[in-house]
Amino acid sequence: MSIDNGKERLDVDQKVVALFAFGIVCALLLILIVNISINTASGIRAYVGGEGMWTKAQKESVIHLTNFILTENEEEFEHFKSALRVNLGDRIGREELLKDDYDYQTVFDGFLEGKIHPDDIPHQINLFRRFQWMPQVKKAIEIWTEGDEKIAKLIHFGDSVRVQMQASDISLEQKTEWVSQLEELDQELTELEVRFSSEMGNLARLVNSVLRWSVIFLGLLLIGIGIWLVYRFLNSTKIWMETLKESEERFKQVLSNSKDVLYKMNLDDREYKYVSPAISSMLGYTPEEFLNGGISFIFSKMHPKDRERIQQIVEKYDDIEDNEFLPFVEFRLKDSAGDWKWVSNVRTLVRNAEGKPEAIIGSVRDISTQKKQDKQLKESLKDKEILLQEIHHRVKNNLAIISSLLELQKDNVSHEVEDMLSSSQARIKSIAKVHEKLYESSTLSNIPLDSYIRELSEEIKNAYTSEKKEIEMQTDVVPFEIDLDDAIPIGLILNELINNAFKHAFKERSEGIIKISLKESGSGMELTVENNGDSIAEDFDPEQSESLGMTLIQVLIKRVNGTLSIESGEWTRFIIQFELTH
């Protein structure tokens, strides 16, 4: 009989060892699949991000080429060529990857030129080489190739237009025809970009589906092994716990009607000495299941993504210090109906007379509704941020179109009208710059006024700089953020003051300095625009001025609760004190 029992125990032990080995293999496979999933997702993300950069560069090149056709400004043509470096870099990478003996550094440098993050390029290369046989990847490569051919056509079209413009004067009708052709080519590229994104989306969904079901299958195997091991553990432990102390009984009676689950767990044996009846209404289990199952029962019902984190916390119970004890933890548990519920566990460490930790008491509360609401709130906020960012982007583009239309209106008009149109363009660009800073900002609500001032002043300077006139622009601005309602009037005020300095203070001068400073002043800010050009009349009264620019400045200063003071002499200074109310 004893021989049979020993043989049966040996068989059981062999089964346990075999089951452990099988579980380890499943865990390794699970790690491998997760690693492949992460690398593949990184590669797909890199291609999606690269497509965004590719599209952005293509759109910018079309805008610059359109502006070149309309204005014949050589800088716009240079910007057109510069923008396409992203597309050409991606093409180098694609063409090199299609070779059997491709050069890794050539591909890396090409994608780096295409503004792909260096950490994502290896994943992008692996995805291309490993999965180019898949229909989705093969189709995406074909679309990519067709897009590069369209880019080559765009470059040829731009070069052809430039040659014709240099050779002779071009009529407005011809420019309109070119712009129309450019719009058609842009639409064709847009369709290719949409198709490419669609194919990458199909690939992502396919890969996600395959890897997800693989992970689920291996996860279920591991859960099954865990349940069997828990069953073995429960059968080998004591069936009944010792009678609770009289004080603990009174403690249970006081707390038995609480909606939160109250518990006490001894640290020496990791056994629960008390679990309140509220566990039945929260998770559908009886207190006896927790009392008998202990921590193993908790882990068997815990979400796999939380289990490892909580296990690391439990492993420190043997030699825990106060600074290592976490008084608050959150995790997910599966209720008796099979649904996951988020719970919060607020705990206190109890020490014995010698100061050694002996137990943990705490309360568990169902926070599923709160978590769901938090998730919905974050998703809603993210959607609104994306929508607001797109709105600012579109407003900026629309303002750029309006500025281009005003540029067209300058043909065959008097010098006075042309100056009025140029002033309107400058004001429009200052507003567009606000929206540009907003959609580039991570907050979508505040604008960094210091960088906005530097960029706006530099753009105005570039508009006036020539071989015959070189005015130095100096800025000394402190970091400061404002919202949209304050940024637009301040930008317009700055635009008027800088333009007035170029037009009037340096009208007959080829050199000089314009200084712009922004600093704190009391509870507000002080903006100063000064120049060492021709001095303004000492009796100049801005409120009596009939110029549109000065009238606009007076109106806008009131918008920001500001005041204007003017100092003349060797330096002419416009000092604006303003209080922001937003």
Side-chain angles (χ1 to χ4, degrees), residues 38-47 50 104 107-109 111-127:
I38 293 173
N39 292 338
T40 304
S42 298
I44 294 174
R45 184 188 70 246
Y47 275 106
Y104 182 91
V107 177
F108 189 94
D109 292 341
F111 285 155
L112 198 61
E113 183 71 15
K115 295 186 177 181
I116 305 299
H117 194 281
D119 294 342
D120 289 336
I121 293 178
H123 302 303
Q124 192 175 9
I125 294 174
N126 290 335
L127 179 64

Side-chain angles (χ1 to χ4, degrees), residues 110-304:
F111 285 155
L112 198 61
E113 183 71 15
K115 295 186 177 181
I116 305 299
H117 194 281
D119 294 342
D120 289 336
I121 293 178
H123 302 303
Q124 192 175 9
I125 294 174
N126 290 335
L127 179 64
F128 190 106
R129 297 292 295 181
R130 291 176 181 175
F131 299 101
Q132 59 180 313
W133 54 269
M134 295 182 66
Q136 293 84 355
V137 178
K138 187 180 296 183
K139 187 64 177 178
I141 295 173
E142 293 174 358
I143 296 171
W144 189 356
T145 303
E146 187 177 353
D148 285 339
E149 293 172 356
K150 295 289 185 182
I151 292 295
K153 183 178 178 182
L154 176 62
I155 295 174
H156 177 73
F157 176 81
D159 291 336
S160 175
V161 167
R162 187 186 185 210
V163 169
Q164 294 182 55
M165 283 187 167
Q166 292 176 341
S168 63
D169 294 332
I170 305 300
S171 65
L172 181 59
E173 289 76 12
Q174 179 61 61
K175 291 183 178 181
T176 303
E177 175 62 23
W178 283 341
V179 171
S180 177
Q181 294 177 16
L182 189 58
E183 289 176 348
E184 292 177 1
L185 183 56
D186 180 57
Q187 181 60 36
E188 292 173 2
L189 284 165
T190 299
E191 293 174 358
L192 290 175
E193 291 156 4
V194 172
R195 288 169 55 197
F196 182 89
S197 296
S198 176
E199 292 300 329
M200 295 309 296
N202 292 337
L203 174 63
R205 285 187 287 273
L206 176 61
V207 171
N208 181 64
S209 178
V210 172
L211 295 177
R212 182 177 67 250
W213 285 110
S214 299
V215 170
I216 290 175
F217 175 75
L218 290 174
L220 290 174
L221 284 178
L222 291 174
I223 290 174
I225 294 173
I227 293 174
W228 191 86
L229 292 174
V230 169
Y231 173 77
R232 292 290 304 168
F233 173 76
L234 293 176
N235 285 341
S236 63
T237 57
K238 294 180 181 180
I239 299 175
W240 302 102
M241 294 184 298
E242 296 180 357
T243 305
L244 296 176
K245 296 179 181 180
E246 184 177 355
S247 60
E248 292 175 332
E249 287 290 342
R250 291 196 296 267
F251 178 75
K252 287 195 302 181
Q253 293 177 0
V254 172
L255 301 177
S256 60
N257 294 321
S258 172
K259 292 184 179 179
D260 294 341
V261 177
L262 306 171
Y263 69 91
K264 178 181 179 181
M265 183 188 72
N266 284 353
L267 291 178
D268 55 350
D269 56 6
R270 309 290 170 82
E271 296 276 346
Y272 285 99
K273 299 304 179 183
Y274 174 73
V275 177
S276 68
I279 191 69
S280 299
S281 59
M282 180 182 291
L283 297 175
Y285 304 117
T286 63
E288 287 72 23
E289 288 179 281
F290 277 83
L291 294 173
N292 294 334
I295 287 183
S296 298
F297 182 81
I298 297 290
F299 281 136
S300 70
K301 304 302 179 183
M302 190 174 294
H303 197 284

Side-chain angles (χ1 to χ4, degrees), residues 316-328:
K316 296 181 180 179
Y317 286 167
D318 293 329
D319 189 19
I320 192 168
E321 298 294 336
D322 286 337
N323 59 349
E324 297 176 345
F325 183 76
L326 297 178
F328 176 80

Side-chain angles (χ1 to χ4, degrees), residues 478-510:
V478 297
F480 189 68
E481 289 189 347
I482 57 175
D483 63 16
L484 176 64
D485 291 339
D486 292 319
I488 290 178
I490 291 175
L492 288 172
I493 292 171
L494 190 64
N495 173 76
E496 296 298 328
L497 292 177
I498 298 176
N499 274 284
N500 284 343
F502 275 105
K503 290 180 179 179
H504 302 297
F506 300 105
K507 184 176 183 180
E508 303 297 334
R509 296 192 182 201
S510 60

Side-chain angles (χ1 to χ4, degrees), residues 440-451:
E440 290 176 348
S441 172
S442 59
T443 62
L444 292 176
S445 58
N446 292 331
I447 297 171
L449 185 58
D450 48 327
S451 63

Side-chain angles (χ1 to χ4, degrees), residues 402-403 405-411 413-429 464 492 495-496 499-500 503-504 546-549 552:
I402 294 173
S403 180
L405 292 174
L406 291 178
E407 186 67 28
L408 291 175
Q409 294 296 318
K410 291 181 180 180
D411 293 337
V413 298
S414 65
H415 184 71
E416 181 181 0
V417 174
E418 184 177 353
D419 284 345
M420 293 173 61
L421 293 176
S422 296
S423 297
S424 297
Q425 281 182 297
R427 292 162 186 149
I428 290 172
K429 288 180 180 178
Y464 285 95
L492 288 172
N495 173 76
E496 296 298 328
N499 274 284
N500 284 343
K503 290 180 179 179
H504 302 297
E546 296 180 358
S547 69
L548 175 61
L552 185 59

